[in-house]
Amino acid sequence: MFFQRHLQIPPGEYIRRLKLEESKKLIREGRDNFTQIAKRLQYSTVHHFSRQFKEYYGITPTQYAKSIHFTEGRQGRPQD
């Protein structure tokens, strides 16, 4: 009830969004590979993580990581 009434989304969607936001942070930090990130965030497989990331953000985790590296090289800091 709380989620539907106050956030307008089901609890599962809320958790998915939190995990995906955390995954962006972990990708920006650059310490873990995608398999480690998927495992840390309790995705069943790295493929499931990648599909959910692309579905939500419209780009793959690899494309996101490359865009960060490109931006860092141009401006000295990651963009979000």
Side-chain angles (χ1 to χ4, degrees):
M1 285 285 233
F2 172 83
F3 285 89
Q4 289 294 106
R5 186 177 305 146
H6 297 287
L7 301 176
Q8 309 298 312
I9 58 172
E13 178 63 19
Y14 177 76
I15 291 167
R16 182 173 85 106
R17 291 179 186 185
L18 286 178
K19 288 168 66 170
L20 289 168
E21 286 298 320
E22 181 68 12
S23 74
K24 282 177 73 176
K25 180 182 144 230
L26 293 170
I27 292 168
R28 284 192 306 270
E29 289 174 359
R31 287 185 284 238
D32 295 330
N33 64 39
F34 299 135
T35 301
Q36 292 166 322
I37 290 170
K39 186 178 275 193
R40 177 183 280 190
L41 296 176
Q42 299 182 333
Y43 283 94
S44 56
T45 67
V46 68
H47 304 291
H48 183 229
F49 162 63
S50 294
R51 280 193 306 272
Q52 289 228 328
F53 192 99
K54 182 168 184 175
E55 182 183 298
Y56 191 72
Y57 292 116
I59 61 173
T60 65
T62 300
Q63 291 168 322
Y64 179 69
K66 286 180 181 178
S67 74
I68 290 169
H69 296 304
F70 176 75
T71 303
E72 284 177 337
R74 291 183 60 220
Q75 297 178 1
R77 60 181 172 79
Q79 295 288 315
D80 199 355

